[in-house]
Amino acid sequence: MNNLDLKIKLGHLDLKNPVITASGTFGFGREYGELYDINQLGAITTKGITLKPKSGNPPPRIAETYGGILNSVGLENPGIDRFIEEELPFLECLKIPVIVNIAGNTIEDYAIVAERLRGSNISAVEINISCPNVNKGGLHFGTHPDSVYQVTKAVRDKWDKTLIIKLTPNVTSITEIALAAQEAGADVISLINTLLAMDIDIHKRKAILGNILGGLSGPAVLPVALRMVYQIAKVVKIPIIGMGGIMTGEDAIKFLLAGASAISIGTGNFIHPTCPLEVLKGIEKYMKKYGFYSMKEIIGQLQ
């Protein structure tokens, strides 16, 4: 049992283990690369990239709350041109798959950004149709099956590698949304993005966040994320990346048992920078304890 088989497949991606970092919590990998060898992970996901640079939302942008954090960064990023010039060379030198998260104000924006990445060594794109703290795009596209289909199809026509669609939990029927993405050509579903939320400073009688509304992440959302992963795993035929409040190996195992093929860590990166490595160790510890050799013995095996 010393040689555990942690390999998994996501679309055309072969990962040596199921631990991925979540968009918006890992920058472009440079910062965490100074703290540990990020090539130990299964893959990393960049922060969201848009066609044009975005300055993001007014501060305050992040606030702690019970069991998690609220964020309203607003997809601040340098835009695709600077990303290709300044960040892509570093990312292409990594020894693990790199997933680029892309967002847009229009369907055409998504398609253009994806097309600009063709020919690079980027392994996959993750389409962010689920951001709850931007005024245009994002969440709007992710709340209706028709628009999910349209944006997925548009990117599919421009991108020939692994296509991941990131879903919002802020919908009535998560399974309808997932099925629309699958029908349009998605290779992988990732979920959940943050829950639409807010908090109030009663002494100032003002919202905590500058944008008033933001996204809730962290352990508080784990049961919601777990439920949605379980529901989607029952209806789709493509792999799922589960995320939402994962802090430990035990948390990760829950998502794998519920049907996720891989897991992604977000808020945990802020709390403890080496959280992904600790989660990976926790998965290995669980497998050794219960006599599992490969990931296929765990994924979707909820009794």
Side-chain angles (χ1 to χ4, degrees):
M1 285 303 297
N2 291 327
N3 298 315
L4 300 177
D5 182 7
L6 274 72
K7 295 189 296 292
I8 57 123
K9 194 173 185 66
L10 297 175
H12 305 294
L13 292 185
D14 292 309
L15 274 61
K16 61 185 176 184
N17 65 65
V19 179
I20 303 172
T21 59
S23 172
T25 68
F26 208 70
F28 297 115
R30 293 179 186 274
E31 302 87 347
Y32 288 89
E34 295 178 1
L35 301 174
Y36 65 92
D37 180 9
I38 60 179
N39 289 301
Q40 297 176 76
L41 305 177
I44 67 166
T45 309
T46 71
K47 69 179 303 179
I49 295 296
T50 53
L51 184 58
K52 302 294 183 182
K54 287 181 67 69
S55 58
N57 289 329
R61 294 179 173 185
I62 296 179
E64 290 190 57
T65 187
Y66 294 115
I69 63 171
L70 290 170
N71 94 82
S72 180
V73 174
L75 294 175
E76 178 186 4
N77 77 94
I80 187 62
D81 290 337
R82 282 184 56 196
F83 171 78
I84 290 174
E85 180 183 350
E86 300 174 6
E87 306 297 343
L88 192 56
F90 166 79
L91 294 169
E92 289 187 318
C93 288
L94 294 177
K95 300 175 183 177
I96 56 174
V98 174
I99 302 166
V100 174
N101 182 282
I102 64 178
N105 293 332
T106 67
I107 290 176
E108 184 181 21
D109 285 354
Y110 286 95
I112 293 173
V113 173
E115 188 172 30
R116 291 290 308 279
L117 291 169
R118 288 187 65 154
S120 71
N121 288 335
I122 294 302
S123 303
V125 294
E126 179 183 62
I127 307 305
N128 183 359
I129 52 171
S130 54
C131 186
N133 54 52
V134 292
N135 294 323
K136 296 180 180 179
L139 186 60
H140 167 73
F141 292 117
T143 54
H144 303 284
D146 288 345
S147 56
V148 169
Y149 181 92
Q150 291 171 18
V151 71
T152 303
K153 183 66 166 58
V155 176
R156 179 77 286 169
D157 290 343
K158 300 294 184 181
W159 180 254
D160 56 358
K161 297 181 186 178
T162 299
L163 173 57
I164 305 168
I165 305 297
K166 189 170 186 178
L167 303 188
T168 174
N170 303 298
V171 295
T172 302
S173 175
I174 193 69
T175 54
E176 288 184 10
I177 302 295
L179 287 169
Q182 177 180 263
E183 184 181 356
D187 296 305
V188 184
I189 298 291
S190 65
L191 78 158
I192 62 175
N193 207 326
T194 55
L195 285 159
L196 188 61
M198 69 177 292
D199 200 1
I200 294 173
D201 184 329
I202 63 170
H203 305 291
K204 296 180 179 178
R205 298 182 296 281
K206 294 177 62 178
I208 294 290
L209 297 174
N211 196 51
I212 301 179
L213 303 181
L216 174 64
S217 64
V221 310
L222 189 148
V224 176
L226 202 59
R227 183 264 295 179
M228 290 190 170
V229 166
Y230 174 78
Q231 288 180 313
I232 288 180
K234 295 295 184 183
V235 300
V236 301
K237 298 178 181 179
I238 56 179
I240 298 167
I241 301 171
M243 65 189 79
I246 297 173
M247 299 287 171
T248 65
E250 289 84 353
D251 293 338
I253 293 294
K254 292 178 183 180
F255 280 87
L256 297 172
L257 289 172
S261 294
I263 57 92
S264 195
I265 297 168
T267 299
N269 291 312
F270 297 144
I271 296 173
H272 198 299
T274 59
C275 180
L277 295 184
E278 297 305 315
V279 168
L280 180 57
K281 291 177 184 177
I283 293 173
E284 294 173 339
K285 181 179 179 181
Y286 175 87
M287 292 175 72
K288 291 176 181 177
K289 179 177 181 179
Y290 289 100
F292 294 120
Y293 167 71
S294 68
M295 297 308 300
K296 65 182 180 181
E297 297 175 275
I298 301 174
I299 295 169
Q301 298 302 311
L302 185 66
Q303 301 296 315

